Amino acid sequence: MDCLFCAIIKGDIPSKKVYEDEYCYSFMDINPQAPIHCLVVPKVHIASADEITAESAPIVAKIFEAIPKIAAELGLADGYRVITNVGENGCQSVKHIHFHILGGKKLSENMG
Ligand code: AMP
Ligand code: ZN
């Protein structure tokens, strides 16, 4: 399967690693939309939040266990935003589920 984030997880495409454990990998976004912008992805390929099943939900839960650790690592004690885009209308460009962590400033109240 031709998947950019699977290639990043494998190390075939370089990335700036922030965090890694058995279930997930986090790296800085190449085109940051905030002073701090990283992505968290599961190591297994799940296409989007719309594809989460009873079987894969525990993996997604592992990502949400990692997020506070990543936020602490990045110094986001004042808060941050977690976003996942889904499908065409959600403007999802990479079809491997990923959670954006954005912070480092007071973010816009406008989310859509
Ligand atoms: P989305 O539009 O929600 O699918 O988000 C995809 C994100 O992946 C965008 O914020 C891109 O800037 C980011 N991105 C694309 N290619 C890379 C890459 N090689 N390394 C890091 N981030 C990337
Ligand atoms: Zn993938």
Side-chain angles (χ1 to χ4, degrees), residues 35-98:
I36 294 173
H37 184 179
C38 73
L39 303 172
V40 197
V41 300
K43 287 185 170 176
V44 295
H45 184 91
I46 300 168
S48 79
D50 200 49
E51 306 287 324
I52 297 169
T53 61
E55 191 189 1
S56 62
I59 294 162
V60 178
K62 289 290 180 191
I63 290 181
F64 278 85
E65 265 184 70
I67 284 172
K69 298 179 198 169
I70 294 164
E73 178 80 24
L74 294 173
L76 297 176
D78 289 339
Y80 53 94
R81 184 168 288 157
V82 179
I83 294 173
T84 190
N85 294 325
V86 181
E88 183 68 23
N89 278 4
C91 298
Q92 181 185 5
S93 62
V94 180
K95 306 306 191 244
H96 179 132
I97 191 171
H98 50 282

Side-chain angles (χ1 to χ4, degrees), residues 4-5 8 27-31 39 85 91-94 98 100:
L4 174 64
F5 289 169
I8 285 178
F27 53 103
M28 298 310 291
D29 196 290
I30 205 167
N31 181 26
L39 303 172
N85 294 325
C91 298
Q92 181 185 5
S93 62
V94 180
H98 50 282
H100 298 256

